[in-house]
Amino acid sequence: MYGSESSTVPEDLERTAFRRAEKKYKLYYEDTYKSSKKKRKPKPVDLSEVLDFNSILESYYQNVELPHGVVPLRCGFDRPVFSLENRPGFYFIPGALSVKEQCQWIKESLTSFPQPPNRTNHNAFYGPINDLFIAANERKALVADWGSNSECDPSVSNGGVHGWKFFEEHEVSSKGSTCKSVSALVLLRKLRWSTLGLQFDWSKRNYDVSLPHKKIPDTLCQLAKRLATPAMPLGEEFQPEGAIVNYFGPGDMLGGHLDDMEADWSKPIVSMSLGCKAIFLLGGKHREDPPIAMFLRSGDVVLMAGEARECFHGVPRIFTDGENDEIVTLERQFSHEDDFSALEYIRSSRININIRQVY
Ligand code: OGA
Ligand code: MN
């Protein structure tokens, strides 16, 4: 599902309205800056049609007319909740998470959520990795363990690797050229997803109940239950059973898709945005339906239930250029907490935690 700014898309895929919108908002760089990666400048993009729930919230508080089709929901929730007239089952709660909560869940997403038995995109190649964030901060490198062979065996498909272990970077350089290694910082930057609770198998696009797993942390469950209430029938409680954590770096996108592997679509997906601002595309039931574009900022929560579960959606881009990322309050909180490694990470990243009732 992931792509980057360098991916090419066959022309026929660009024929749908969803794909055209993805292309419109995707990150492109100015050609003149191509040669020097650091100075690359994002091409300006027309954002005039992107729904902005920050200003919608302002209008709502000031009793000013809301954009056409945006409807405040009367549901007794402790913050304003908005729905869209032509997308029943979709709910937007701007700034649902406090800055403190945002920091907390960013830290958990970097430290505890990727811990085994939770799986990440790195599992397929490296097997389970423990304490990646700590290793990245300590500038360690993950090194192939060749077992008794002590070096690479080209006759075996994975080179005969028994497993991978973290070492200090200076130890790695002394191991010589036969040593296969990758820095923990690079692995952290290449972390794309981790799964909590029931483990989602991305290769089969299904939940694999045979995989070992631990329950979603109780504090996250309680939070998700509370946030889900505007989309739940009166008196029913949301049961969080699985969660997917998506990590986005500059140029990363999440292509248009449906989340259709859960049994009961009347139950919402509770989706929390953390870190840099993003554009979210909410399409219709067909890729040909023109999607609605909206900004997702750190602390925003989106619920998708009922009919909205059948709507294509995706994230064509995030903003990491310091001007548009809109994470100033978050940066202040991290500095206040002296957490400079998480701060450095989130300055150019977005994290999305989406929590699901699977059965
Ligand atoms: C997903 C998803 C949206 C987001 O993971 O299925 O739709 O805001 N994420 O990142
Ligand atoms: Mn989704």
Side-chain angles (χ1 to χ4, degrees):
M1 257 196 305
Y2 273 98
S4 68
E5 83 269 27
S6 58
S7 68
T8 52
V9 175
E11 232 173 81
D12 57 339
L13 280 175
E14 295 179 8
R15 295 225 177 100
T16 68
F18 198 95
R19 183 56 215 164
R20 279 195 298 277
E22 279 182 324
K23 214 181 153 191
K24 172 177 173 182
Y25 292 115
K26 206 172 117 171
L27 173 65
Y28 294 99
Y29 289 103
E30 299 283 9
D31 287 341
T32 43
Y33 292 88
K34 240 180 191 163
S35 50
S36 131
K37 224 182 170 183
K38 274 236 158 85
K39 277 192 233 146
R40 284 198 304 183
K41 205 174 154 186
K43 270 192 182 166
V45 48
D46 175 10
L47 300 172
S48 59
E49 287 175 16
V50 184
L51 272 185
D52 184 341
F53 278 94
N54 255 10
S55 56
I56 290 170
L57 191 63
E58 278 295 298
S59 307
Y60 172 78
Y61 282 138
Q62 292 168 12
N63 250 321
V64 178
E65 201 184 336
L66 304 185
H68 181 73
V70 177
V71 187
L73 199 74
R74 266 180 265 280
C75 63
F77 196 69
D78 63 2
R79 287 195 60 86
V81 181
F82 299 95
S83 59
L84 298 175
E85 219 160 59
N86 54 3
R87 294 292 190 282
F90 178 85
Y91 306 91
F92 198 113
I93 319 175
L97 305 173
S98 70
V99 180
K100 256 197 159 154
E101 285 175 307
Q102 294 168 42
C103 278
Q104 179 194 347
W105 298 115
I106 289 168
K107 285 188 214 172
E108 295 292 343
S109 300
L110 293 173
T111 56
S112 66
F113 293 170
Q115 291 289 68
N118 295 346
R119 296 170 66 83
T120 76
N121 57 298
H122 290 319
N123 267 76
F125 193 83
Y126 298 101
I129 300 176
N130 279 292
D131 300 323
L132 176 60
F133 190 63
I134 296 173
N137 293 337
E138 292 174 352
R139 300 293 184 266
K140 288 195 170 160
L142 197 62
V143 180
D145 170 13
W146 310 105
S148 54
N149 292 334
S150 77
E151 63 181 66
C152 180
D153 176 0
S155 67
V156 191
S157 67
N158 66 351
V161 175
H162 284 220
W164 297 78
K165 267 193 214 147
F166 282 121
F167 283 93
E168 303 283 341
E169 233 143 34
H170 67 267
E171 290 179 278
V172 177
S173 46
S174 65
K175 279 178 183 284
S177 58
T178 54
C179 171
K180 205 172 179 181
S181 79
V182 53
S183 94
L185 254 175
V186 168
L187 288 176
L188 181 68
R189 283 284 160 204
K190 291 189 172 171
L191 186 63
R192 287 287 169 270
W193 54 263
S194 62
T195 41
L196 315 181
L198 283 179
Q199 297 292 290
F200 191 78
D201 183 332
W202 284 97
S203 60
K204 299 184 201 127
R205 291 212 73 246
N206 210 339
Y207 290 92
D208 187 343
V209 288
S210 70
L211 288 171
H213 65 274
K214 53 179 193 221
K215 274 194 164 167
I216 297 180
D218 201 47
T219 39
L220 186 60
C221 275
Q222 295 312 322
L223 177 64
K225 282 182 184 193
R226 187 173 70 76
L227 292 170
T229 49
M232 291 294 291
L234 210 65
E236 268 189 58
E237 194 177 58
F238 179 64
Q239 300 299 331
E241 289 162 330
I244 299 172
V245 185
N246 293 304
Y247 306 81
F248 299 77
D252 286 338
M253 63 179 290
L254 179 61
H257 66 278
L258 289 178
D259 298 294
D260 50 6
M261 286 305 154
E262 294 76 22
D264 182 355
W265 291 6
S266 73
K267 299 297 181 307
I269 288 183
V270 178
S271 182
M272 313 182 349
S273 286
L274 302 164
C276 291
K277 188 171 79 171
I279 292 180
F280 182 73
L281 292 177
L282 177 63
K285 294 184 184 174
H286 310 278
R287 285 184 188 271
E288 288 69 27
D289 300 331
I292 301 168
M294 60 193 87
F295 290 119
L296 284 178
R297 295 179 174 88
S298 199
D300 289 344
V301 167
V302 153
L303 309 174
M304 291 175 84
E307 275 192 57
R309 289 290 303 255
E310 299 172 59
C311 292
F312 281 93
H313 60 277
V315 178
R317 100 165 261 188
I318 72 165
F319 296 89
T320 58
D321 45 276
E323 268 174 80
N324 290 314
D325 52 17
E326 298 188 29
I327 51 167
V328 184
T329 47
L330 199 55
E331 288 181 312
R332 228 176 273 143
Q333 182 67 24
F334 273 121
S335 307
H336 184 66
E337 293 181 19
D338 283 340
D339 197 333
F340 296 102
S341 37
L343 173 63
E344 192 182 306
Y345 177 89
I346 209 64
R347 270 196 174 128
S348 59
S349 312
R350 169 179 187 263
I351 297 174
N352 164 251
I353 306 175
N354 61 83
I355 304 147
R356 298 135 187 260
Q357 177 165 341
V358 178
Y359 299 108

